[in-house]
Amino acid sequence: MALQTQPGTRPGRGTAPGTAVVPRARTNTFSALLHRHPRLRLAGLLTAPAGWLVLVYVAALAALLITALWTVDTFTGKVTQSWTLANVVQVVTDPVYQIITLRTLWIALAVTVIDMVIALPISFFIAKVATERWQKLLVVAVLMPLWASYLVKAYAWRNVLAEGGLLEWLGTPLGLHSPGYSETAVILTLSYIWLPYMILPIHAGFERVPDSLLEASGDLGAKPWTTMRLVMLPILVPSIIAGTIFTFSLSLGDYITAQIVGGTTQMLGTVVYANVGAANNLPFASAVSLIPIAIVMIYLFVVRRTGALENL
Amino acid sequence: MSQTVLGGDRAATPSGTAEVPAIRLRNLVKRFGETAAVDGVDLDIRQGEFFSMLGPSGSGKTTVLRLIAGFDLPTSGTIELEGRDVSGMAPFQRDVNTVFQDYALFPHMSLLDNVAYGLRVRGMAKQERRERAVEALDRVQLGKFVTRRPAQLSGGQRQRVALARALVVEPKVLLLDEPLGALDLKLRQQMQLELKELQRSLGITFIFVTHDQEEALTMSDRIGVFNNGKIAQTGTAHEIYRRPTGPFVANFVGTSNLFGADAAGRLYGRGGQFVVRPERLAIGWDGATPSDDGVTAVRGTVASVVYVGHATQVHVALEGGPAVVVLVGADLPGADDDLLGRSVAVSWADRDAVWLPDAA
């Protein structure tokens, strides 16, 4: 036996107690100090990330909020630091921006619902039906589009949706026609682009449901659809909401897809983009961008209780 | 226990149908790829019987249970439930319920909803299923906790909920997949008694899968010992322990001292193998061999001494024979170190030698 726990108790062993053959750990006063003082340890671990968080996120958001309260000198085009609520009031009250806000909300909701409907059966198949080998391949297949550039995917859809494009070619014999460059095109394209963000959390959710729960449900007399409704879905709700947080907030802030396949469709993101660029009105762009931030915060606040935030 | 919801109509059923076995397996085979997890099992389990499937892990006992429940479908062979062929049916079509090893309680439901689940999916009205679920929880002493979630319970309590949930739908056969495995020794022994008592009062057939031979011996009316996907022996606890039909059963159920063909030939002048249980062996510390009629004695050397609480296991290497374990209940005549290497005599009554049938 190499590991003699009680040296000397066995006759015939030469090693006297105390002369350990295995080297002891060297004393480290700093580690010992940290071990004795958990608060010190916590402070050491948190300072850097917390500092980064304050600097990058909180400070940037605060700057945005402050900028929204400034205004642009129409003559010089420079931001003047005089305080006014005019931008915010205009964004909230002007019917043009109200309509754009509602349209953006509608697009984000439609994308979220479409992705949810597509992702549920796909995730179920990957997690519970496919063999282990296929599981790995399918997860990679789901992830693969994320490795391609966003722009490439959006332009690919521009081609698909174009006059005489793939969709028209496939649809014409069936009596369908391409939606062209429109709101519908934006919804389709965004649904495609954000789909992996919905599949991954739902897939992880399905993986966490033990097979024995499904077996128990069937064993007690439930048909597969009942098992899905009464056992699977309630357990999956947090995972589904985790997925919707991604698809919803990503769609809410999008402007590239709207520009590439949206035709004349205006979303909040395109308004921000136009005001930062062409109109050179940073304060107004900031005011507009506060809307999706507010909506996402409200959404997070509502879903917080479901435990979805632990599933991100 | 008085007439209950669980036992109600079962108690009214006359025992005249007892000739039809609750479960009949015929030439049951289940392959996973190349390996046969279950390799030709024939078994009749009587109605109202407490039947244990005992075997080491990987012996196919759990697979047989899953085939009976319908979670897996057999590669070939048939499963009959009270005379009806259910081999190809889905779990929800079989009048059989399972208590899972991990209990498989629904984490998002209260205890009440968990237990009422089976009644709910069968379309029972809300009021009635709640009453029955409360009654079933009362029976397992969890009536106070109906609104709790499974996560708020201890292992033993979850086990009881799983039991109540499976029994409330009044199955013909209850399958238990190592349900006591996760409990500590005291609780396990208590649950063993409670399960046995419950089974007796309900009259439902219990099929109990375990790898713990003591558990199987304590609880079962009959035991099937599994090895390599086959049933090595079926019989009462007494038969299995006293008359094992092969070296595997002799060794798996309790400790056995197996004497090979050459030892048998030397001692008794006949072929074949025999076993003697450790508690049937006596040890003569002075090395003198008793010369009584019908007693066989062999000299040997003490190899090790292991104290196990209620007795001491003395391992003796017999001269020319196997190494055997002797269970000594009395105090030893010296310190362990003095006994090691001592020359002793091991003896046993010839009627305690169990001859194993020749392996086919």
Side-chain angles (χ1 to χ4, degrees), chain A:
Chain A
M1 231 194 292
L3 288 172
Q4 186 83 13
T5 48
Q6 290 171 294
T9 52
R10 278 208 175 181
R13 279 263 166 184
T15 42
T19 56
V21 183
V22 178
R24 302 289 108 187
R26 271 177 298 161
T27 49
N28 184 324
T29 36
F30 183 62
S31 298
L33 182 79
L34 286 181
H35 184 75
R36 279 196 306 274
H37 300 281
R39 277 162 187 276
L40 200 65
R41 204 161 64 216
L42 195 67
L45 284 170
L46 276 184
T47 308
W52 177 255
L53 206 67
V54 168
L55 205 71
V56 171
Y57 288 93
V58 180
L61 271 177
L64 192 72
L65 185 69
I66 291 167
T67 314
L69 299 175
W70 290 339
T71 181
V72 168
D73 189 316
T74 39
F75 187 65
T76 60
K78 286 212 171 100
V79 175
T80 51
Q81 303 180 351
S82 57
W83 302 94
T84 169
L85 277 172
N87 289 324
V88 180
V89 170
Q90 194 195 349
V91 163
V92 175
T93 54
D94 191 330
V96 172
Y97 298 110
Q98 287 176 346
I99 289 172
I100 292 176
T101 302
L102 286 179
R103 182 189 300 129
T104 308
L105 255 178
W106 150 247
I107 289 174
L109 276 176
V111 168
T112 299
V113 170
I114 290 172
D115 278 349
M116 205 158 74
V117 169
I118 298 175
L120 270 171
I122 292 181
S123 325
F124 177 74
F125 182 83
I126 297 176
K128 292 290 171 201
V129 182
T131 60
E132 212 163 303
R133 216 172 80 93
W134 274 102
Q135 273 183 23
K136 288 194 190 109
L137 285 172
L138 288 169
V139 169
V140 170
V142 167
L143 284 174
M144 197 105 77
L146 290 182
W147 304 338
S149 155
Y150 178 103
L151 276 177
V152 169
K153 286 180 282 185
Y155 274 111
W157 271 90
R158 192 181 162 87
N159 262 329
V160 169
L161 293 158
E163 240 175 275
L166 185 66
L167 208 60
E168 204 172 273
W169 181 68
L170 283 174
T172 311
L174 302 168
L176 301 169
H177 43 83
S178 168
Y181 301 139
S182 63
E183 191 181 292
T184 315
V186 175
I187 293 175
L188 273 178
T189 308
L190 286 179
S191 299
Y192 166 79
I193 292 176
W194 304 139
L195 184 61
Y197 292 95
M198 183 67 93
I199 292 181
L200 291 177
I202 297 183
H203 169 249
F206 271 116
E207 290 256 278
R208 276 198 299 265
V209 179
D211 288 344
S212 67
L213 285 192
L214 310 184
E215 289 175 352
S217 174
D219 188 65
L220 290 163
K223 295 182 179 64
W225 181 244
T226 315
T227 302
M228 197 54 135
R229 193 166 52 87
L230 295 180
V231 178
M232 273 291 202
L233 274 181
I235 296 178
L236 278 178
V237 163
S239 308
I240 295 174
I241 291 177
T244 64
I245 291 173
F246 283 119
T247 57
F248 184 74
S249 57
L250 289 171
S251 305
L252 212 55
D254 187 83
Y255 71 100
I256 302 175
T257 298
Q259 284 190 338
I260 294 175
V261 301
T264 56
T265 310
Q266 289 265 17
M267 290 175 73
L268 287 172
T270 53
V271 174
V272 172
Y273 180 76
N275 273 295
V276 172
N280 189 29
N281 191 343
L282 194 60
F284 191 75
S286 299
V288 173
S289 67
L290 288 178
I291 298 177
I293 291 176
I295 294 174
V296 167
M297 278 169 92
I298 292 170
Y299 186 64
L300 290 181
F301 185 78
V302 170
V303 300
R304 171 187 55 116
R305 293 178 147 269
T306 62
L309 303 186
E310 286 87 58
N311 280 271
L312 287 176

Side-chain angles (χ1 to χ4, degrees), chain B residues 154-229:
Chain B
S154 71
Q157 289 169 327
R158 281 181 217 184
Q159 155 85 81
R160 289 161 195 267
V161 179
L163 203 59
R165 186 179 68 174
L167 285 172
V168 79
V169 292
E170 301 179 9
K172 287 181 175 141
V173 175
L174 184 73
L175 308 173
L176 302 108
D177 184 8
E178 308 209 14
L180 308 182
L183 307 181
D184 64 63
L185 184 64
K186 270 270 186 287
L187 196 54
R188 195 156 70 215
Q189 287 169 342
Q190 184 195 337
M191 281 305 293
Q192 285 173 6
L193 294 177
E194 283 183 27
L195 270 180
K196 180 75 194 152
E197 180 52 41
L198 192 67
Q199 188 265 341
R200 206 172 285 148
S201 67
L202 296 177
I204 295 178
T205 312
F206 275 35
I207 302 179
F208 188 92
V209 161
T210 180
H211 61 258
D212 183 337
Q213 43 101 6
E214 206 178 300
E215 201 165 271
L217 294 176
T218 316
M219 302 169 77
S220 323
D221 296 323
R222 284 198 307 149
I223 299 169
V225 184
F226 279 70
N227 184 29
N228 286 330

Side-chain angles (χ1 to χ4, degrees), chain B residues 269-283:
Chain B
R270 58 178 274 194
Q273 303 177 312
F274 69 96
V275 295
V276 187
R277 293 288 178 190
E279 65 273 18
R280 300 277 162 177
L281 291 176
I283 199 160

